Amino acid sequence: MLNNNIFTSSFFSKVFSFDELFFVRQLLVRLSLILFIYFILRVVFLAVHWEAFQTVYFTVTTENIFWIFFTGINFDLIVIIFINIPTIVFHLLPSPWRKYSAYQSVLRIVFISINAICIFIGIADIIYYQHAMERASGAIFGVLDGFWLLFYRYSVEYWYALLFFILIIIILYWVDRKIEEDVKENTTYSIQFLLLILFAPIIFLVASKITNKFPTNTTAAATNTPFILINDMFTSGSLLNDQNLPEHSFFKPGEAEDILKIQKNYHRPEKSENSFNVMIIVLESFSKQYIGYFQEGQSHTPFIDSLYNKSFVFTNAFANGNYSNEAISSIYTSIPALMRQPMITSRYKYNDMNGIASLLGGKGYNSAFFMGSPNGLFGYDFFTKRAGFEEYFGKSEYNNNTDYDGAWGIYDDRFFRFTAEKLDEMEQPFMASLWSLSSH
């Protein structure tokens, strides 16, 4: 019995010895360092948007600020663990190469590179919030087609944010080198394998337990909670969680038709059979306060005002989405924002959609979509084809980079004239649509 106790004591003292725990300790220090950086980003986010959180919905006070940061750490832990899976594996997996400097250098590159991407998104999210008034989510990745087109311009405009990012990465690298220890050579692989079995499940169990405290649809729940709690990479995780919409069945087949006797008869013989051209103009990032028809004083929209005076005007408007890539499906196919991810970047973008272009196409209409952005931005060209538009005219079709603003697309005054010229060439009747850019 004494020998067994001595063996057990010796075994556990060996397992948890300073040398054997080297890679575990190194891993925990690195993850703690990233956790501290996320804490700093939350402090900066709160400081920059302090006034935005003094609302009737939620007010940041000295009483609840500690709760905010403590709860926010839960989100950070989940993100840190799951995005650092390669780092965790490389630290804990028993390998004879771990003691070599080349292995440690590769490990450091993997660790810093993965987290640098997330830190960059976290800093960009601080800027993004002041425009969208919500944290970034997986939906923002729908604009990756134009990422490099916008990166340069916004790096210049928000140079201080880019400088802040570079400073954090330099400090991260410097601190990581400072805490570096000499790798011990007297480690036992059998014990290292035991540590892998012991610590890896503990780490992922912690993340799992924390996750279970949140609603299943955490992103949607965030709209009624302080945004400073939600780590932006947590919501951006919806990029990797492309879920189907739930299917609901409220009536049996044919039951609704039996209850509601709907008669559809659109034939009006007394009306003229003449086909009118249809033109949909979408003003990007424009509100009623800039339209002279609704305001007193100088008008920013004299041509639109002239149309209002000859048109049936709706004075009330209701949003079917928050972003351009949500609005486009609402306008042309009557599909509102039914989920967090825009339909045109979801798995449903491959569906056949019956919208105004395809419906009028069945009546003999030609159709075209005009937008001066670089082709591929937001996936508009792909979506409009699925929605029934026969032609797409963008920056490539305009074919003159001297009129390019360097970010969003061709200046409106030039592209509008180009659109008018193309409309004159289209065979009538036609259905066309034009999106503005300059006010974005």
Side-chain angles (χ1 to χ4, degrees), residues 145-154 371-375 377 394-396 398-415 437-438:
D145 288 332
F147 175 78
W148 296 112
L149 297 171
L150 304 176
F151 177 77
Y152 172 76
R153 181 160 184 166
Y154 282 96
M371 185 175 184
S373 291
N375 294 49
L377 188 67
K395 176 176 174 289
S396 298
Y398 185 82
N399 197 27
N400 186 355
N401 281 336
T402 58
D403 296 334
Y404 178 44
D405 67 2
W408 289 109
I410 305 300
Y411 289 108
D412 278 348
D413 58 336
R414 279 80 159 184
F415 194 78
L437 294 175
S438 293

Side-chain angles (χ1 to χ4, degrees), residues 310-435:
K310 303 176 182 179
S311 306
F312 183 49
V313 180
F314 295 91
T315 57
N316 294 322
F318 304 94
N320 276 333
N322 297 319
Y323 308 99
S324 302
N325 52 359
E326 291 177 342
I328 189 171
S329 63
S330 299
I331 295 172
Y332 303 107
T333 61
S334 298
I335 302 176
L338 299 174
M339 52 187 173
R340 187 67 174 180
Q341 186 179 13
M343 192 277 292
I344 71 171
T345 59
S346 71
R347 64 177 62 192
Y348 300 104
K349 66 182 179 182
Y350 300 104
N351 289 7
D352 292 326
M353 287 162 277
N354 203 17
I356 186 171
S358 58
L359 289 172
L360 290 178
K363 299 291 185 180
Y365 276 70
N366 300 295
S367 56
F369 185 90
F370 296 86
M371 185 175 184
S373 291
N375 294 49
L377 188 67
F378 297 111
Y380 276 22
D381 50 353
F382 177 83
F383 170 79
T384 53
K385 291 292 183 182
R386 304 297 298 182
F389 283 92
E390 297 172 334
E391 294 184 276
Y392 181 92
F393 294 92
K395 176 176 174 289
S396 298
E397 288 73 21
Y398 185 82
N399 197 27
N400 186 355
N401 281 336
T402 58
D403 296 334
Y404 178 44
D405 67 2
W408 289 109
I410 305 300
Y411 289 108
D412 278 348
D413 58 336
R414 279 80 159 184
F415 194 78
F416 284 8
R417 287 195 292 268
F418 168 78
T419 301
E421 293 171 0
K422 290 298 179 181
L423 291 177
D424 288 338
E425 299 173 2
M426 289 185 65
E427 184 179 350
Q428 299 188 31
F430 63 76
M431 182 271 152
S433 184
L434 169 65
W435 277 57

Side-chain angles (χ1 to χ4, degrees), residues 150-181:
L150 304 176
F151 177 77
Y152 172 76
R153 181 160 184 166
Y154 282 96
S155 296
V156 173
E157 184 174 354
Y158 299 104
W159 58 268
Y160 47 87
L162 183 62
L163 184 63
F164 182 47
F165 166 72
I166 294 174
L167 179 63
I168 287 182
I169 299 304
I170 292 175
I171 294 175
L172 174 62
Y173 177 81
W174 180 78
V175 173
D176 190 71
R177 290 298 301 266
K178 281 292 184 181
I179 63 177
E180 186 180 67
E181 304 177 48

